[in-house]
């Protein structure tokens, strides 16, 4: 009788375990469905926040325009402001060589304009004085996002003067003055205007819009700031040198005093010996 009873008990334990697993799976499934509902609410709030943030950005973008205009008027009083700013920016500088810089010396103004709805794109305008390289007074590049979020770009055609097309130079014509690495294919900064291969990852456009345009003055002043830091470091080195010099003098004086004391001690011992005799 004991054998069958034990089998029955084991069967009951297994059935209870199976029931607990089914209940646990059901609870997990319900929890997943509830998490999904909560996540939908979070996503809805995120979309609402994005819309409100966009409205705030549009508001302050309009408020900034008069200040951008005033800044451009003041910058116009400083010769070579924009070429210096571009040359001093590490990422942009890597794209420039001597001939690019020569052409950019005729750059008088840079303007970045975000489209009214902001999210659909922006335009960068480069204004030039009369120069020996091209006929354009303004060279522009625009970046667009369509309703599906697909990026694209378009730009002005640069009307190069005869023999002055900087985008068609050979490796030999680049010369030793190029900042670019020798193994790279020769390219001009101005090649960027006609490059629409990857508008969604246009690093130069993003650098100009998000890094340089908000505060170009910091890059224009970059060498002066570095010079001031260098002067501070030199002054610190001089102070450290003076302190070390004073320490050396103190050590030498201490050694001299020690030697004088030893000599006086030896003379004193000699006198004592003479008295004993």
């Amino acid at each position: 009788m004991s054998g069958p009873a034990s089998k029955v008990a084991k069967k009951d334990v297994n059935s209870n375990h199976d029931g607990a697993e089914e209940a646990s799976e059901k609870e997990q499934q319900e929890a997943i469905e509830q998490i999904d509902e909560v996540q939908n609410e979070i996503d809805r709030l995120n979309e609402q926040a994005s819309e409100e943030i966009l409205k705030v950005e549009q508001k302050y973008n309009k408020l900034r325009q008069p200040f951008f205009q005033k800044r451009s008027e003041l910058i116009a009083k400083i010769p070579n402001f924009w070429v210096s700013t571009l040359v001093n920016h590490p990422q942009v500088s890597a794209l420039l060589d001597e001939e690019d810089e020569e052409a950019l010396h005729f750059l008088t103004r840079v303007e970045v304009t975000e489209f009214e709805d902001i999210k659909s794109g922006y335009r960068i305008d480069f204004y030039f004085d009369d120069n020996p390289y091209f006929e354009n007074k303004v060279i522009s590049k625009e970046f667009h996002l369509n309703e599906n979020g697909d990026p694209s770009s378009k730009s002005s055609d640069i009307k190069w003067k005869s023999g002055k097309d900087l985008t068609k130079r050979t490796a030999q014509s680049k010369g030793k003055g190029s900042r670019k690495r020798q193994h790279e294919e020769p390219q001009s900064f101005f090649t960027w205007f006609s490059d629409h291969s990857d508008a969604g990852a246009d690093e130069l456009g993003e650098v100009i819009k998000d890094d340089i345009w908000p505060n170009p003055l910091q890059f224009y002043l970059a060498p002066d700031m570095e010079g001031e830091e260098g002067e501070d470091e030199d002054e610190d080195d001089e102070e450290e040198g003076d302190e070390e010099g004073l320490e050396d003098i103190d050590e030498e004086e201490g050694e001299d005093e020690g030697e004088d004391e030893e000599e006086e001690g030896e003379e004193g011992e000699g006198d004592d010996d003479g008295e004993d005799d």
Side-chain angles (χ1 to χ4, degrees):
M1 294 292 292
S2 59
S6 62
K7 289 181 180 179
V8 171
K10 190 179 290 185
K11 185 176 180 181
D12 290 342
V13 170
N14 290 336
S15 62
N16 290 337
H17 182 69
D18 292 342
E21 283 187 353
E22 290 177 2
S24 177
E25 289 177 0
K26 184 177 181 182
E27 289 176 357
Q28 290 178 23
Q29 184 60 36
E30 290 176 352
I32 289 172
E33 292 174 358
Q34 291 173 0
I35 291 171
D36 186 52
E37 292 176 1
V38 172
Q39 191 62 51
N40 288 335
E41 290 298 318
I42 294 172
D43 292 341
R44 184 182 62 79
L45 287 173
N46 288 341
E47 290 178 6
Q48 184 177 343
S50 297
E51 292 175 0
E52 293 184 11
I53 290 170
L54 183 60
K55 290 178 182 178
V56 172
E57 288 180 350
Q58 290 172 331
K59 172 186 175 181
Y60 283 93
N61 191 40
K62 290 181 180 179
L63 292 174
R64 283 191 289 263
Q65 295 311 310
F67 295 97
F68 285 146
Q69 180 62 33
K70 179 64 175 177
R71 188 181 69 185
S72 292
E73 292 172 0
L74 294 171
I75 287 174
K77 299 178 180 180
I78 303 174
N80 299 321
F81 178 92
W82 282 110
V83 66
S84 299
T85 298
L86 296 174
V87 167
N88 291 340
H89 192 284
Q91 287 174 268
V92 179
S93 178
L95 304 174
L96 302 174
D97 64 16
E98 289 182 352
E99 285 189 275
D100 289 329
E101 287 183 32
E102 285 298 322
L104 289 172
H105 271 84
F106 297 93
L107 178 63
T108 60
R109 195 165 92 229
V110 174
E111 297 285 347
V112 175
T113 305
E114 292 187 273
F115 299 151
E116 190 171 353
D117 64 354
I118 294 179
K119 61 183 180 180
S120 67
Y122 61 96
R123 185 180 74 252
I124 302 175
D125 296 312
F126 290 77
Y127 293 80
F128 290 87
D129 274 339
D130 291 338
N131 64 82
Y133 294 93
F134 43 77
E135 301 289 348
N136 307 64
K137 299 297 183 183
V138 183
I139 304 176
S140 305
K141 187 166 185 178
E142 294 184 7
F143 297 87
H144 297 266
L145 281 176
N146 63 20
E147 294 179 355
N148 297 324
D150 299 323
S152 63
S153 63
K154 63 180 182 179
S155 60
S156 309
D157 290 328
I158 301 178
K159 300 175 182 177
W160 295 100
K161 293 182 179 180
S162 179
K164 293 294 186 178
D165 190 342
L166 300 181
T167 66
K168 294 183 178 179
R169 293 171 295 178
T170 62
Q172 289 77 16
S173 67
K174 294 288 282 187
K176 295 181 180 179
S178 175
R179 284 192 175 86
K180 302 174 187 177
R181 297 176 183 176
Q182 295 299 321
H183 67 271
E184 293 181 353
E185 293 183 4
Q187 272 192 327
S188 167
F189 168 83
F190 293 91
T191 304
W192 170 71
F193 287 97
S194 58
D195 182 6
H196 307 294
S197 58
D198 193 359
D202 193 306
E203 293 184 7
L204 181 54
E206 294 295 322
V207 164
I208 294 172
K209 180 175 77 76
D210 298 329
D211 201 12
I212 295 177
W213 175 246
N215 185 6
L217 185 62
Q218 64 178 325
F219 297 106
Y220 176 77
L221 296 175
D224 294 336
M225 295 171 66
E226 290 175 3
E228 290 174 4
E229 291 175 1
E231 289 174 5
D232 292 339
E233 291 175 0
D234 291 341
E235 289 175 2
D236 292 339
D237 292 340
E238 288 176 4
E239 289 176 1
E240 290 177 3
D242 292 341
E243 290 175 0
E244 290 176 358
L246 291 173
E247 290 175 0
D248 292 340
I249 292 171
D250 291 339
E251 288 177 2
E252 290 175 1
E253 290 178 352
E255 291 174 359
D256 292 341
E257 289 175 359
E259 290 175 0
D260 292 341
E261 289 175 358
E262 288 178 3
E263 289 176 0
E264 289 176 1
E266 289 175 358
E267 289 175 1
E269 288 176 1
D271 292 342
D272 291 342
D273 290 342
E275 289 174 1
D276 290 340
D277 291 340

